[in-house]
Structure formats: structure tokens, C-alpha cells
Amino acid sequence: YTTPAAAEFDAVVDSQWLSEHLGDVRLLDVRDGEAFDESRIPGAYHFPNSEMLDSYAEETPDGFEASPEAIAWTLSEAGIEPDDDVVVYGADSDLWETYAIYTLNALGHEGRVSLLDGGFTVWDAASEETTSSSPEPREATYEPELDTGVVATREFVAENVDEDGAAVPILDMRSPAEYWGEDQRGDLDRFGHVTGATNLNFVQSIDSEEGRLRSPEELETLWIDDAGLSADETTIAYCQTAIRASVGWFVLDQFDFEDVRNYEGSWADWGTLTEEDGYYYTTGEDTGTVVDTFA
């Protein structure tokens, strides 16, 4: 089972490739614990999304703080070392897989970290081997060396935004209703979007019927032609908690963007700040720009 994205992008593989290279890579399964226990690809270890979301990094009153120890411990328990090639998969191709890939990149992982396009669903549909046996114990030492070049902190965003707009492309990966401040999520002081940001809902990058990334041609239409992005510009993606935005970060990384960053705090952080301190926002229906190519 091959996919258009796997044929084109360096960090996307299909089930056929994985079947041929199963012994050469480490596997991380980001599905929920029940699905993982029921059936998984042989050799896969569970990578709980709670560790990615709760234990990796946060924006504090004193700025961005990374705490990668919990993730590093999980990778060590899976026998993964920083120079190993890793394949991440979920049920399909969706946001938790790309967030895991982004997280490993932020940890400074040296090996290639790839997405299994279509996830466990296509692996199972191809009648490839699965197991419910407990993974074999492994032991490794994982010493993270943070690569903050893939992370946009609140101050990095603020340096590129003023009351008139943004100096670099900023992509809001939430729904248009969230972008306009109509769909209000979380206990925040304000709702809307970073001034100058363009809305591009993350779901447009995914072929929901096939459960995989859209074709490279469709993604180029969405991101390059319609969103007007250029690979030589610094580009920032954000959403509510940086998870949906990781889809945009991943796609642009596959298009060899020189400097693409994920705002780790995202709106859950920006929505607590004030314009008086230089954190500008815009709110209201039909404000800003919405890219709706595949809406």
C-alpha cells in the first residue's frame, strides 16, 4: 500500500516500505492505550500523548521552559537512541503523529523521524503482521539536546507582530470560528487570532476519506499557491495547544522550508496576555484572511 505523500516526501513512509524495513527502524505508536494493547505493529512501543502534551514544554510567566525528561525516559525504555531512525504511527494520519515527530525534532533527535502515512489502519488492511504481545524490554540512554530552532516562543512571535500586522507569515491552524473568536475554548482572557495571522484549518492537509496526507500536488496548492508561502521565509504555525499546528509544521518541513516553527504556547498562552505588553490580537467575524481550499 503506497501513498502519494510517501512517494514524494523524505519523512513519510507507506506500509510497503515499512514492511521491507521493519527491522531497521524503531516504532512509536501514538494511539490510545486500549488500541495499542489490543493490536499493534510488532516492535512498536507506546508513546502516550499525555507525555507529549503535559511533560514536554510550556510557556510560563518567566517564558518558555522545556522539560524533556519524561519523554527521554520513554524513548530510553523503548530502546531508542538519538541516532536511531524512528517511524511514528497512529490509527490514521492525523495530528498526534505529527506532534510526536515535531517533539522528537525539538529534542534534537539525530535520526530520521517519519510518519507512517495512513497509520495502523492501512497496515492492518494490507494483512501485515500484528501482535498483542507485550513489547520486549529494551534499554538505551537518551540524552536530549534541545533544538529550539523548531520552536516559536511567545517572545519570538511578539517580535514579529505589531498592531498593524505580522512581519513573517503566521498560520492559525484552528477552525475559522476559533480564529474569529466565536468558538471560545479554555478559560482565557481573550479570543480571536494573532494580529496578521492567516487561518488555514489543519484538517485541509488530510484526506479524511483515505485517512492519510493529501497528495503533494494538493498540499502545494493549499500551502504554496493559496496561502502564498515561500520556503525562504521564516514561518510560524500555531493553534490552541501547538498540536494541530504541528500538521502545518510537518508539511512545510517536507517542502524544505528553511525556518518553520511551531508556537508551543499557541492560543492557550497568547489568549492570557495583553496588548499593553505588546501581544497584539484581532477578533471578530470575517476579520483576517481564511484559506479554505479544501474546507
Side-chain angles (χ1 to χ4, degrees), residues 176-177 179-182 193 282-288 290:
Y179 174 75
W180 290 325
E182 297 175 335
H193 59 271
T282 302
T283 189
E285 185 177 1
D286 293 331
T287 56
V290 175

Side-chain angles (χ1 to χ4, degrees), residues 190-294:
R190 57 188 190 168
F191 299 91
H193 59 271
V194 176
T195 296
T198 296
N199 178 248
L200 195 161
N201 195 343
F202 87 99
V203 297
Q204 296 186 76
S205 293
I206 298 168
D207 185 332
S208 58
E209 292 185 3
E210 299 292 340
R212 66 188 188 200
L213 290 174
R214 289 191 178 275
S215 70
E217 293 76 17
E218 290 174 317
L219 292 172
E220 184 173 357
T221 296
L222 176 64
W223 287 94
I224 310 300
D225 297 340
D226 294 356
L229 301 181
S230 175
D232 59 359
E233 290 185 289
T234 294
T235 304
I236 300 169
Y238 78 91
C239 56
Q240 186 78 5
T241 56
I243 299 169
R244 286 176 283 179
S246 70
V247 176
W249 173 87
F250 180 77
V251 170
L252 295 182
D253 187 59
Q254 297 314 293
F255 279 127
D256 295 324
F257 271 54
E258 295 176 7
D259 184 11
V260 56
R261 304 180 183 221
N262 191 2
Y263 175 17
E264 187 67 39
S266 279
W267 195 259
D269 177 59
W270 199 264
T272 67
L273 308 174
T274 67
E275 289 196 322
E276 288 75 14
D277 291 328
Y279 304 106
Y280 296 98
Y281 86 115
T282 302
T283 189
E285 185 177 1
D286 293 331
T287 56
T289 301
V290 175
V291 177
D292 58 359
T293 306
F294 300 115

